[in-house]
Amino acid sequence: MKIEEFEMERLQSTWENRVKYNLSESGVHPLLLKELTNKDELEELISLRLGYSQTNGTIELRGAISQLYPGSDIDNILVTNGSSEANFISIWTNLKAGEELILMLPNYMQIWGLARSLGAKVKPFYLKEELNWAPDLEELKKIVSPNTKMIAVCDPNNPTGAVLSEKSIKGIVKVADRVGAWILSDEVYRGAELNGKETPGFWGKYEKVIVNGGLSKAYALPGLRIGWMVGPKKIIAESWSRHDYSTIAPGIINDYLASLALKPEMRQKILSRNRKILNTNLALVKKWLSNHADLFKLISPQAGAIAFIRYNLDINSTQLIIKLLHEKSVLIVPGDCFGMDHFIRLGYGAEKDYLLAGLDLIDETLKEIQSKG
Ligand SMILES: Cc1ncc(COP(=O)(O)O)c(C=O)c1O
């Protein structure tokens, strides 16, 4: 099996722990373990027996997840190691060589690379900058075919932070229904909406829907490596038996802590803490951008901790990022990782002072490039 490099993850894996300012992250500044647990829970945690956990996720955790998807119960849920494993299993289970996948772009490129490595035919449909990163449904209608096995979307979207409207969701469902295609919706940023209004998402809108989510982004708990798949029971059962081959089970400590994070009161506390950080920091980023109004264009993200910024400088995005890396020890993601040169993806979920210090260093590089131009 030939596999293409997952460029963004490789870049992050290589550099994120070596740079002084990592602004490539797409999640919010992570929580501390002690912020998640009270005294009794901490006691329970250290008394946990470190055996295998229930391989598809404990009943407590699947119960808490199913509360987020009305009409589902614990047999509609498979707990995975991160939403990346949920994506992996969804594609591995449902897509074969020669089958057709329509993929929303730009996107987190995991599904793109995976589907292609399995020999599937991947057809893109685009979020349009001129439509404030909404999809053009006419384009989707044109490319769908009787061979389309699946349509994969990311909502809220990485990298643009755009949220699909109810109208777009309905439109995508209609197109999928016409040819009986599955919809795979990666909703790992759901809960990180800046206005606090949770993305409606695809669950309950169509029978052939798989929704993937997790705690890494909106919940600021990437280190727990807890994700999930929500789908029809038959698909979840099939995916569970694939999970036997991938990682068997989530870690028992992670499963326990995830159940705490999803208790209604704690969940609300986490989401409002994160929303506050995101709104404060996005305002700082916008102020910074306004100091360079001639250079940058941002369609304001509606969710997540990432800003996808178009820049007007005569330098390729990878070259710009490499310059920042080596000269200023700052890491951001080049638009090239999404097949879109002259964009950068800036993570703004970090602590305020850290973010500002990173932006100052980017400023220095911009001035140097401009003075040479
Ligand atoms: C859209 C999207 N899906 C999935 C993932 C994987 O996240 P994790 O496995 O940490 O939950 C990411 C990570 O950046 C992402 O942006």
Side-chain angles (χ1 to χ4, degrees), residues 48-305:
L48 264 184
R49 196 168 293 283
L50 297 177
Y52 280 109
S53 188
Q54 186 159 343
T55 65
N56 56 341
T58 55
I59 289 173
E60 291 74 24
L61 179 54
R62 283 183 293 133
I65 296 167
S66 79
Q67 293 298 311
L68 308 176
Y69 301 93
S72 72
D73 65 40
I74 56 171
D75 295 326
N76 293 105
I77 315 284
L78 173 69
V79 177
T80 55
N81 285 274
S83 54
S84 45
E85 192 191 18
N87 284 341
F88 181 87
I89 293 176
S90 306
I91 293 296
W92 188 36
T93 308
N94 294 295
L95 210 60
K96 290 195 260 324
E99 289 182 331
E100 188 179 283
L101 168 81
I102 295 185
L103 179 68
M104 171 192 274
L105 286 183
N107 207 325
Y108 182 64
M109 295 305 267
Q110 181 192 9
I111 289 173
W112 167 271
L114 253 175
R116 284 163 60 90
S117 77
L118 294 173
K121 185 174 172 205
V122 182
K123 284 182 176 173
F125 83 103
Y126 292 93
L127 298 177
K128 297 276 168 77
E129 193 182 8
E130 62 275 21
L131 300 176
N132 287 336
W133 299 124
D136 176 354
L137 293 178
E138 291 309 312
E139 183 185 295
L140 182 61
K141 281 183 203 160
K142 273 188 209 140
I143 61 169
V144 77
S145 83
N147 299 328
T148 305
K149 178 81 188 295
M150 180 182 268
I151 299 176
V153 302
C154 179
D155 177 39
N157 176 255
N158 175 3
T160 63
V163 169
L164 287 173
S165 65
E166 284 280 9
K167 195 169 158 230
S168 292
I169 290 178
K170 271 193 194 144
I172 294 169
V173 166
K174 211 167 153 192
V175 174
D177 194 23
R178 224 171 59 196
V179 295
W182 282 90
I183 293 179
L184 171 62
S185 183
D186 180 342
E187 298 179 9
V188 71
Y189 293 92
R190 180 172 173 228
E193 295 79 4
L194 289 144
N195 65 4
K197 229 181 117 213
E198 236 166 271
T199 316
F202 280 82
W203 181 251
K205 307 271 163 59
Y206 178 52
E207 277 175 13
K208 296 178 83 174
V209 162
I210 299 168
V211 172
N212 293 340
L215 296 181
S216 312
K217 310 296 175 186
Y219 297 86
L221 294 166
L224 286 190
R225 309 307 303 131
I226 289 287
W228 54 78
M229 273 178 81
V230 192
K233 291 180 181 172
K234 186 167 171 285
I235 286 287
I236 292 300
E238 271 175 52
S239 302
W240 185 12
S241 48
R242 296 275 177 144
H243 190 234
D244 295 343
Y245 278 100
S246 55
T247 60
I248 305 176
I252 199 162
I253 296 177
N254 302 344
D255 185 304
Y256 173 76
L257 291 170
S259 298
L260 299 186
L262 290 178
K263 282 187 173 173
E265 207 178 308
M266 178 54 86
R267 177 173 187 269
Q268 276 322 317
K269 198 170 141 194
I270 295 174
L271 296 186
S272 27
R273 169 236 189 221
N274 293 347
R275 195 175 319 124
K276 209 160 129 197
I277 295 177
L278 291 180
N279 278 299
T280 306
N281 287 6
L282 182 58
L284 296 174
V285 169
K286 284 186 176 170
K287 185 158 175 277
W288 177 76
L289 291 173
S290 70
N291 294 334
H292 304 280
D294 52 331
L295 275 192
F296 293 126
K297 184 180 161 212
L298 172 69
I299 293 168
S300 195
Q302 295 163 277

